[in-house]
């Protein structure tokens, strides 16, 4: 018989939440040790908790400067937490995706999923192995390129360059956004080797394991792509192009952002800025000096986020894309929602709507609370809240000044934002029930 304490975690979503909570607790303890700070004084518990949550939830929001406040031990702890969080999200999200789609074997062999159709243990091991190898391979490639650039272009010693390359490869692929410079990556705004390497790592990590492997198998045959891949790729490319154009148009003449760069530099910086709201959190432009219209555009991109079963956060481009198809079908008066040659189940439509409404509600309530707790304006507060919920890690610069209550609110938002869409989506998909009767239909005026 299963022990009583295990029966409380029989749903996979509960297992994931408990696992991430444990990782955050361990990270908080490690970052609270005197050896974790540069001055060898124990870090404040709020700082340690906030940083550990930001790392495990691969967000990148900070209330202290990473390089000056944390020692090498502290930085390594942060990198390990980011790696654990990124791999955990990719692994569990991929398993949930395959579980929901029913693409793999069905055997009741995992106690945590005893009440649902579940993956076999052999399938789980194979998927986990592929996810780990894929993640580590991408990080190694990015680390090698960054290391070479730091040595050749900036005169760093090989050891220091390798450390910088490895750290930023891990935080980039896992969409975490931690950087070891006080200005994040602003000093590299015109360096395509640094910016494009990190941007590509962010995009690949944010697409999601199932999408990347399907593209690897059949990138020349788009007609054979699954709905997941079509929506993820289509919406991601659209958002990257539109985001780049919006930032170019809005910030072109802003002397504090793009205005100080030449034309190629402006294009590179705008593209990099459009990639980062996928939930990466790096910045080569001073976010605090952007126009409010750019903040709003960034809010939208951060809220949408990246692909499912990837390291990116947010609502997910798949959810956003599915809602767009639902709206389009309704506008055209069609009774069914079709994507390509496939029909979208009504249950999936309701799940997308549910996750979106819950996300909007959480952001609205959190923004109200933070406005009441701090003296900052709506633009900045909304930006911080969306960045935390979307695990984007971008900031207008007010995060350190939000106070203990504000920091705890953002900590909760990062945890919910990281696990909420994943656990809510899996819970809805795995908890479908059939009703053996129908109630009489009644029309209600909408609008």
């Amino acid at each position: 018989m299963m022990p009583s304490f295990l029966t409380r975690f029989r749903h996979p979503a509960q297992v994931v939440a408990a696992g991430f909570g444990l990782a955050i607790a361990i990270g908080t303890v490690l970052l609270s040790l005197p050896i974790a700070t540069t001055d060898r004084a124990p870090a404040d518990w709020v700082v340690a908790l906030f940083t550990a949550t930001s790392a495990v939830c691969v967000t990148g929001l900070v209330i202290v400067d990473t390089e000056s406040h944390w020692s090498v031990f502290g930085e390594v702890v942060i990198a390990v937490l980011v790696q654990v969080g990124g791999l955990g999200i990719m692994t569990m999200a991929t398993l949930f995706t395959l579980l929901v789609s029913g693409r793999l074997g069905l055997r009741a062999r995992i106690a945590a999923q005893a009440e649902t159709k579940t993956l076999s243990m052999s399938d789980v091991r194979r998927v986990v192995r592929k996810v780990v190898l894929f993640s580590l391979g991408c990080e190694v490639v990015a680390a090698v390129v960054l290391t070479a650039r730091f040595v050749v272009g900036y005169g760093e010693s090989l050891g220091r360059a390798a450390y910088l390359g490895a750290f930023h490869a891990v935080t980039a692929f896992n969409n975490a956004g931690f950087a070891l410079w006080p200005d994040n990556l602003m000093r590299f705004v015109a360096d395509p080797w640094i910016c494009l390497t990190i941007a590509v790592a962010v995009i690949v990590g944010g697409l999601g394991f199932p999408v990347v492997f399907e593209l690897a198998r059949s990138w020349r045959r788009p007609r054979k792509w699954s709905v997941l891949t079509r929506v993820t790729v289509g919406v991601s490319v659209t958002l990257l192009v539109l985001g780049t154009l919006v930032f170019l148009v809005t910030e072109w003449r802003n002397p504090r952002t793009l205005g100080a760069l030449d034309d190629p530099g402006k294009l590179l910086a705008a593209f990099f800025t459009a990639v980062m709201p996928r939930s990466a959190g790096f910045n080569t432009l001073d976010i605090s000096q952007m126009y409010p219209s750019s903040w709003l555009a960034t809010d939208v991109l951060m809220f949408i986020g990246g692909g499912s079963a990837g390291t990116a956060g947010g609502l997910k481009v798949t959810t956003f894309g599915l809602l767009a198809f639902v709206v389009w079908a309704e506008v055209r008066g069609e009774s069914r929602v079709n994507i390509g040659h496939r029909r979208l189940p009504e249950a999936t439509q309701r799940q997308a709507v549910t996750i979106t409404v819950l996300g909007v509600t959480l952001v609205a309530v959190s923004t109200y609370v933070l406005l009441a707790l701090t003296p900052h304006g709506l633009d900045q507060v909304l930006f911080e809240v969306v960045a935390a919920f979307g695990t984007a890690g971008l900031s207008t610069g007010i995060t350190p000044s939000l106070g203990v209550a504000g920091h705890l609110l953002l900590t909760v938002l990062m945890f919910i934002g990281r696990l909420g869409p994943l656990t809510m989506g899996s819970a809805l998909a795995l908890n479908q029930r059939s009703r053996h009767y129908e109630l009489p239909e009644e029309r209600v005026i909408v609008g």
Side-chain angles (χ1 to χ4, degrees):
M1 181 176 295
M2 187 180 298
S4 59
F5 73 93
L6 287 180
T7 60
R8 301 177 184 178
F9 301 104
R10 298 187 68 182
H11 195 282
Q14 296 174 319
V15 176
V16 175
F20 272 72
L22 178 61
I24 290 172
I26 294 174
T28 301
V29 172
L30 292 176
L31 291 176
S32 298
L33 298 175
I35 193 177
T37 61
T38 54
D39 59 4
R40 294 299 187 267
D44 181 80
W45 72 271
V46 175
V47 174
L49 173 63
F50 189 96
T51 305
T53 305
S54 183
V56 173
C57 297
V58 291
T59 304
L61 278 177
V62 295
I63 53 181
V64 294
D65 178 59
T66 303
E67 194 262 344
S68 62
H69 183 83
W70 303 109
S71 64
V72 173
F73 175 82
E75 292 172 358
V76 171
V77 169
I78 291 173
V80 171
L81 292 176
V82 168
Q83 186 73 82
V84 170
L87 283 177
I89 284 293
M90 283 199 72
T91 302
M92 298 312 301
T94 300
L95 293 177
F96 285 158
T97 299
L98 298 174
L99 177 64
V100 171
S101 65
R103 299 282 297 275
L104 296 182
L106 304 176
R107 301 177 195 170
R109 307 244 330 246
I110 302 179
Q113 300 178 7
E115 294 181 352
T116 67
K117 293 181 179 180
T118 182
L119 302 170
S120 69
M121 292 303 294
S122 61
D123 290 329
V124 170
R125 287 194 295 269
R126 177 171 55 84
V127 171
V128 170
R129 182 171 61 252
K130 285 188 176 182
V131 170
V132 172
L133 292 177
F134 168 70
S135 301
L136 295 180
C138 291
E139 291 171 0
V140 168
V141 173
V144 170
V145 175
L146 292 175
T147 299
R149 183 57 181 166
F150 289 137
V151 171
V152 176
Y154 299 93
E156 297 283 358
S157 65
L158 181 59
R160 176 63 177 172
Y163 177 74
L164 293 174
F167 184 93
H168 292 92
V170 170
T171 56
F173 178 79
N174 292 289
N175 281 223
F178 285 92
L180 296 181
W181 295 278
D183 60 356
N184 203 276
L185 299 180
M186 290 174 58
R187 64 188 62 193
F188 306 114
V189 62
D191 190 330
W193 286 97
I194 301 295
C195 292
L196 292 181
T197 299
I198 289 179
V200 170
V202 167
I203 292 172
V204 173
L207 281 177
F209 179 83
V211 173
V212 170
F213 269 71
E214 185 170 353
L215 290 176
R217 291 193 306 267
S218 56
W219 65 274
R220 294 183 178 181
R221 301 184 296 277
R223 293 184 178 181
K224 294 186 177 181
W225 291 355
S226 65
V227 172
L228 173 65
T229 299
R230 291 186 180 189
V231 173
T232 300
V233 174
V235 177
S236 296
V237 172
T238 301
L239 292 179
L240 286 177
V241 173
L242 290 179
T244 302
L245 292 177
V246 167
F247 290 124
L248 278 175
V249 172
T250 306
E251 300 291 330
W252 185 271
R253 297 185 182 278
N254 187 345
R256 295 165 295 183
T257 55
L258 293 184
L261 304 173
D262 57 17
D263 290 352
K266 290 179 180 179
L267 180 60
L268 176 63
F271 172 74
F272 190 89
T273 304
V275 171
M276 293 307 116
R278 294 178 62 87
S279 85
F282 292 106
N283 64 282
T284 56
L285 300 177
D286 189 346
I287 303 296
S288 66
Q289 300 301 317
M290 286 183 169
Y291 294 131
S293 54
S294 295
W295 287 350
L296 179 59
T298 307
D299 289 340
V300 173
L301 293 174
M302 290 190 298
F303 186 76
I304 296 174
S308 299
T311 56
L315 189 69
K316 305 299 185 186
V317 295
T318 46
T319 305
F320 178 76
L322 295 182
L323 286 178
F325 279 102
V326 171
V327 171
W328 180 244
E330 188 65 27
V331 169
R332 298 181 63 182
E334 298 179 352
S335 60
R336 297 289 185 267
V337 179
N338 300 318
I339 302 178
H341 299 290
R342 293 290 185 271
R343 177 172 58 85
L344 188 65
E346 292 183 2
T348 303
Q349 300 174 40
R350 293 196 300 270
Q351 293 159 18
V353 172
T354 300
I355 293 173
T356 303
V357 172
L358 290 177
V360 171
T361 302
L362 180 62
V363 168
V365 172
S366 301
T367 301
Y368 174 83
V369 173
L370 202 57
L371 280 172
L373 293 174
T374 68
H376 302 291
L378 175 60
D379 289 341
Q380 291 176 303
V381 169
L382 177 63
F383 193 100
E384 304 298 312
V385 168
V386 176
F389 172 76
T391 66
L394 296 172
S395 174
T396 59
I398 68 171
T399 302
S401 64
L402 295 180
V404 174
H407 292 153
L408 293 179
L409 175 61
L410 292 186
T411 299
V412 174
L413 269 176
M414 287 188 288
F415 187 81
I416 296 177
R418 177 70 274 182
L419 298 181
L422 169 64
T423 55
M424 177 61 70
S426 63
L428 291 173
L430 298 175
N431 196 36
Q432 297 183 22
R433 298 179 180 178
S434 58
R435 177 174 290 181
H436 301 292
Y437 63 91
E438 292 290 341
L439 297 175
E441 184 179 271
E442 180 177 346
R443 292 281 183 174
V444 179
I445 298 176
V446 177

